[in-house]
């Protein structure tokens, strides 16, 4: 009866995981309207849309040749590939209008969503190694809003989490019949560690404990020093080779030198070309570290207390699972300290210091050591912690840790998915879809018109979603960010004074919570379009306003067209 009950619960878990997996893919295609952070666009899709599709975009400072801090390899392999595919389909007349705001948004996200199932595969493979229940772990993973929202977005943090998952598979020894099998390929570990470092140098914080764990397995399983050295040499050689590939690709990209014109530049010989490349060699992780180790630079992006990851971000992402892990960590630490005192003062005690605790102490180290290293930096954002979902899920479903607080977990993840997947800056992407249709409407095509798009108090708009070619000068985008009332009114009044052509349109995009600011500028509007929902945490709605009949305006994004006759 117990066996039949276990088989029944496993089938329920499989069905639930399949449902959540379908939700993940379907919600990506819908698409999700929430806008998490500008980096989801400006660290890959925006750059590749400019390079491959020749669209008007905004290049962030990290991708300028004067300050190269991001590798171009992963953007090319992800957003670059998807944009090349839709470009080829349109050129071959297989799809006459393949390039539009929807495909520009969804195609890179769809690729990341497919990649996100690497996380599911990793959990399924790793669960038996750590004594966790595979299907319970998969349901816990797939039901997390971190997986549904963050792992379907084009963040470098998403790739960091996937590479961390692959590294975890490689370092975990499979146990069969009570004996540890030989650890996996040293070469692949070297490749993944180096690739992760070039993607985000913070990957070393995540890789530290897995690499130490792998090294201990190597030392324990190898009797020959020659074999031991061979393992480490393979790792180092493959790491060096991978680094050379990344450095070469980044150097070619950031120095704007292609294989076709290398030899034609000043009729340079091969030796001259190699010398030029050596002088301009680009090592993006070192530039990244050089920038981020400067406290003044970090302060420009926002400074946070060192405990933000522990006390705020961990709870925001993982909820009760983070709190329970902290509790288990303190219990484990208390037991270790107690044992150390026994060994020191009584000169006896347990032979080993590894004691049985709730779940695996090693998984707790995989979770808390990276968290501690990331807490050393003053700039702390929740997305920096998303790779930690893997050890946390495995720990939470390990033996003697029945997943409790199920109702609270469900409510927490529903709220997180609603907030970050739909509401947070949720009007901006639909707004760009609407503007793209307006700009490329048949009326605009037959009678060319000029559009000035002024964005205020929103996240930075990804210009690529407007689908405007670099040669098209009909559209001007002005990002006012969080400018004050005086600066905003001065800009609007300047546009009104220059409002001379009959085919010119000035559109102001602003959240409903600060719409009153525009009315103080003394201008009138020809048309108003409200896009719902849109929640700006920088300009949050007032509680009294939400309880009144004006709540829809407070949770909306306005597109206001200036009146030409004013």
């Amino acid at each position: 009866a117990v066996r039949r009950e276990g088989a029944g619960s496993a089938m329920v878990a499989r069905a639930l995981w399949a449902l959540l997996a379908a939700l993940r893919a379907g919600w990506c295609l819908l698409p999700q309207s929430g806008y998490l952070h500008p980096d989801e666009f400006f660290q890959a899709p925006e750059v590749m849309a400019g390079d491959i599709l020749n669209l008007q975009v905004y290049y962030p400072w990290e991708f300028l040749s004067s300050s190269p801090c991001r590798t171009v390899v992963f953007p090319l392999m992800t957003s670059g590939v998807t944009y090349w595919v839709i470009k080829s389909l349109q050129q071959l007349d297989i799809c006459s209008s393949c390039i539009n705001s929807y495909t520009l948004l969804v195609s890179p996200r769809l690729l990341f969503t497919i990649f996100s199932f690497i996380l599911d595969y990793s959990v399924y493979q790793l669960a038996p190694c750590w004594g966790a229940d595979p299907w319970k772990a998969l349901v816990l993973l797939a039901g997390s809003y971190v997986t549904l929202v963050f792992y379907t977005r084009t963040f470098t943090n998403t790739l960091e989490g996937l590479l961390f998952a692959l590294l975890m598979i490689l370092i975990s020894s499979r146990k069969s019949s009570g004996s540890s099998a030989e650890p996996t390929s040293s070469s692949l570990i070297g490749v993944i560690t180096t690739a992760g470092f070039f993607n985000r140098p913070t990957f070393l914080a995540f890789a530290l404990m897995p690499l130490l764990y792998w090294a201990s397995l190597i030392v324990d399983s190898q009797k020959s020093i020659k074999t031991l050295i061979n393992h480490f040499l393979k790792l180092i050689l493959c790491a060096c080779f991978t680094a050379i590939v990344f450095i070469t690709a980044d150097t070619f990209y950031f120095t704007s030198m292609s294989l076709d014109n290398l030899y034609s530049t000043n009729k340079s010989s091969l030796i001259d070309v190699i010398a030029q490349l050596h002088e301009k060699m680009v090592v993006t992780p070192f530039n990244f570290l050089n920038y981020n180790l400067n406290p003044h630079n970090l302060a420009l992006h926002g400074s946070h207390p060192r405990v933000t990851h522990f006390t705020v971000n961990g709870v925001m992402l993982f909820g009760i699972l983070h709190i329970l892990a902290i509790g288990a960590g303190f219990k484990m630490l208390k037991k270790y300290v107690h044992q150390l005192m026994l060994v020191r003062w009584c000169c006896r005690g347990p032979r080993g210091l590894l004691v049985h605790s709730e779940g695996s102490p090693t998984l707790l180290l995989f979770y808390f050591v990276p968290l501690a290293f990331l807490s050393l930096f003053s700039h702390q954002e929740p997305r920096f912690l998303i790779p930690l979902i893997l050890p946390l899920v495995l720990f939470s479903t390990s033996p003697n840790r029945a997943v409790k607080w199920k109702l609270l977990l469900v409510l927490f993840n529903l709220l997180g998915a609603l907030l970050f997947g739909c509401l947070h800056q949720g009007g901006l992407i639909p707004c760009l879809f609407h503007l793209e249709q307006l700009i490329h409407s048949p009326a605009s095509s037959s009678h060319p018109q000029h559009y000035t798009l002024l964005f205020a108090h929103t996240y930075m708009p990804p210009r690529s979603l407007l689908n405007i070619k670099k040669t098209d000068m009909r559209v001007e985008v002005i990002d006012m960010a969080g400018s004050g009332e005086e600066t905003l009114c001065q800009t609007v009044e300047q546009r009104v004074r220059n409002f001379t052509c009959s085919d010119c349109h000035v559109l102001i995009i602003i959240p409903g919570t600060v719409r009153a600011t525009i009315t103080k500028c003394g201008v009138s509007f020809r048309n108003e379009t409200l896009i719902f929902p849109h929640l700006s945490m920088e300009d949050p709605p007032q509680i009294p306003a939400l309880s009144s009949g004006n709540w829809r305006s407070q949770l909306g994004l306005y597109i206001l067209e200036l009146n030409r006759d004013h």
Side-chain angles (χ1 to χ4, degrees):
V2 174
R3 189 176 298 175
R4 194 180 300 116
E5 184 180 341
S9 68
M11 286 189 66
V12 170
R14 289 175 188 175
L16 189 53
W17 174 81
L19 184 65
L20 290 168
L23 173 64
R24 193 189 316 175
W27 202 11
C28 167
L29 295 171
L30 194 56
Q32 291 183 24
S33 59
Y35 184 172
L36 298 176
H37 191 279
D39 283 356
E40 68 175 288
F41 292 102
F42 294 92
Q43 286 184 359
E46 184 84 351
V47 176
M48 291 298 104
D51 290 347
I52 294 174
L53 301 177
N54 200 35
L55 297 180
Q56 285 186 29
V57 298
Y58 175 82
Y59 284 94
W61 65 270
E62 299 103 316
F63 283 93
L64 300 178
S65 57
S66 57
S67 55
C69 289
R70 300 281 180 189
T71 182
V72 75
V73 174
F74 283 111
L76 281 170
M77 290 171 61
T78 54
S79 300
V81 168
T82 59
Y83 288 162
W84 178 82
V85 168
I86 61 174
K87 179 182 179 180
S88 300
L89 290 173
Q90 184 156 307
Q91 288 177 338
L92 294 170
D93 288 331
I94 297 174
C95 174
S96 58
S97 57
C98 276
I99 303 174
N100 55 61
S101 56
Y102 175 81
T103 57
L104 288 168
L105 174 74
V106 170
S107 57
R109 283 187 180 181
L110 182 60
L111 185 63
F112 271 70
T113 301
I114 294 169
F115 285 164
S116 74
F117 286 96
I118 293 172
L119 206 59
D120 300 70
Y121 173 78
S122 303
V123 165
Y124 186 78
Q125 293 295 322
L126 289 168
C129 302
W130 299 99
D133 184 292
W135 287 105
K136 285 183 180 178
L138 279 171
V139 169
L140 194 60
L141 172 77
S144 170
Y145 87 88
V146 173
T147 306
L148 287 169
V149 178
F150 283 86
Y151 273 93
T152 59
R153 303 298 181 92
T154 49
F155 284 117
T156 55
N157 310 91
T158 305
L159 291 173
E160 188 173 43
L162 299 177
L163 290 169
F164 179 54
L166 292 175
L167 182 62
M168 285 282 287
I169 290 179
L170 290 174
I171 62 97
S172 295
S173 64
R174 296 171 180 273
K175 296 180 179 180
S176 74
S177 305
S179 60
S180 294
E182 186 171 329
T184 334
S185 171
S186 312
S187 305
L188 287 175
I189 290 174
V191 170
I192 287 176
T193 304
T194 308
F197 176 66
F198 272 83
N199 175 57
R200 286 184 68 85
T202 53
F203 184 75
L204 294 184
F206 296 97
L208 176 62
M209 288 311 298
L211 289 177
L212 290 176
Y213 178 77
W214 170 79
S216 69
L217 291 176
I218 290 283
V219 171
D220 289 343
S221 63
Q222 301 298 331
K223 306 298 181 185
S224 166
I225 296 180
K226 182 179 178 181
T227 310
L228 189 65
I229 294 172
N230 186 43
H231 273 289
F232 288 104
L233 276 178
K234 280 183 181 178
L235 186 147
I236 293 168
L237 287 173
C238 287
C240 290
F241 175 77
T242 307
I244 290 170
V245 171
F246 275 86
I247 291 170
T248 303
D250 290 337
T251 301
F252 274 118
Y253 179 82
F254 286 108
T255 55
S256 302
M257 298 177 74
S258 66
L259 289 170
D260 294 333
N261 64 19
L262 276 177
Y263 296 103
S264 62
T265 305
N266 297 324
K267 298 182 179 179
S268 301
S269 66
L270 179 60
I271 296 174
D272 293 333
V273 169
I274 293 172
Q276 290 175 30
L277 286 174
H278 182 265
E279 289 175 6
K280 299 179 180 179
M281 186 177 293
V282 176
V283 187
T284 52
F286 292 161
N287 296 338
F288 178 95
L289 289 170
N290 185 50
Y291 179 88
N292 284 281
L293 290 176
N294 186 333
H296 174 70
N297 292 335
L298 284 183
L300 297 175
H301 301 273
S303 293
H304 307 93
R306 295 294 197 276
V307 294
T308 302
H309 279 325
F310 275 99
T311 58
V312 179
N313 295 341
V315 178
M316 188 185 299
L317 290 175
F318 309 122
I320 192 67
L321 296 182
H322 175 74
I323 296 170
L324 293 175
I326 290 175
F330 276 117
K331 286 181 183 178
M332 183 186 76
L333 193 61
K334 184 180 177 181
K335 288 182 180 180
Y336 281 154
V337 171
H338 181 65
Q339 285 194 356
L340 285 171
M341 290 175 66
L342 281 176
V343 170
R344 182 174 179 180
W345 297 108
C346 303
C347 297
R348 61 178 184 173
R351 293 180 181 179
L353 290 179
L354 268 180
V355 295
H356 176 74
S357 64
E358 296 182 11
S360 169
T362 308
L363 287 173
L364 281 177
L365 290 174
F366 287 172
Y367 183 75
F368 283 113
V369 169
L371 202 155
F373 271 105
L374 293 174
S375 297
L376 296 175
F377 297 92
S378 61
H379 183 58
Q380 301 185 15
E381 296 182 28
R383 62 192 171 94
F384 296 168
L385 302 183
I386 65 171
L388 296 178
I389 192 173
L390 178 60
L392 184 61
V393 162
L394 291 172
F395 174 76
S396 300
T397 52
S398 56
N400 303 320
R401 288 198 66 83
V403 179
K404 302 174 183 178
W405 310 91
K406 290 181 182 178
L407 180 60
L408 182 61
L409 274 172
V410 171
L411 293 175
F412 171 78
N413 285 302
L414 280 174
L415 181 62
L418 176 66
L419 177 60
F420 293 105
C422 299
L423 296 177
H424 188 258
Q425 293 285 326
L428 191 54
I429 301 304
C431 167
L432 291 168
F433 280 21
H434 174 81
L435 293 173
E436 189 241 6
Q437 292 178 355
L438 179 66
I439 293 166
H440 297 284
S441 64
S444 296
S445 301
S446 57
H447 298 89
Q449 302 180 46
H450 185 274
Y451 292 90
T452 298
L453 310 177
L454 195 153
F455 292 83
H457 292 263
T458 68
Y459 275 5
M460 191 159 51
R463 291 150 173 79
S464 58
L465 296 185
L466 294 171
N467 190 23
I468 307 162
K469 292 293 183 182
K470 289 180 179 177
T471 53
D472 190 345
M473 296 291 106
R474 294 182 303 128
V475 180
E476 179 187 13
V477 177
I478 303 172
D479 183 14
M480 298 293 293
S483 299
E485 180 182 327
E486 184 179 351
T487 304
L488 186 58
C489 286
Q490 285 178 354
T491 305
V492 171
E493 288 166 5
Q494 182 183 4
R495 293 292 152 182
V496 170
R497 285 196 296 270
N498 297 335
F499 213 162
T500 53
C501 71
S502 58
D503 293 322
C504 291
H505 301 270
V506 177
L507 302 172
I508 300 171
I509 296 91
I510 193 165
T513 50
V514 288
R515 188 192 183 286
T517 305
I518 291 294
T519 60
K520 297 176 183 177
C521 297
V523 294
S524 62
F525 304 107
R526 179 182 174 186
N527 289 313
E528 293 186 11
T529 303
L530 176 65
I531 296 178
F532 177 87
H534 179 90
L535 176 63
S536 173
M537 300 305 290
E538 289 72 25
D539 300 287
Q542 300 297 318
I543 301 298
L546 287 176
S547 59
S548 68
N550 198 33
W551 64 272
R552 190 176 175 86
S553 173
Q554 290 287 302
L555 289 174
L557 182 71
Y558 278 93
I559 303 174
L560 307 172
E561 183 177 359
L562 283 181
N563 192 348
R564 185 186 299 109
D565 300 327
H566 177 73

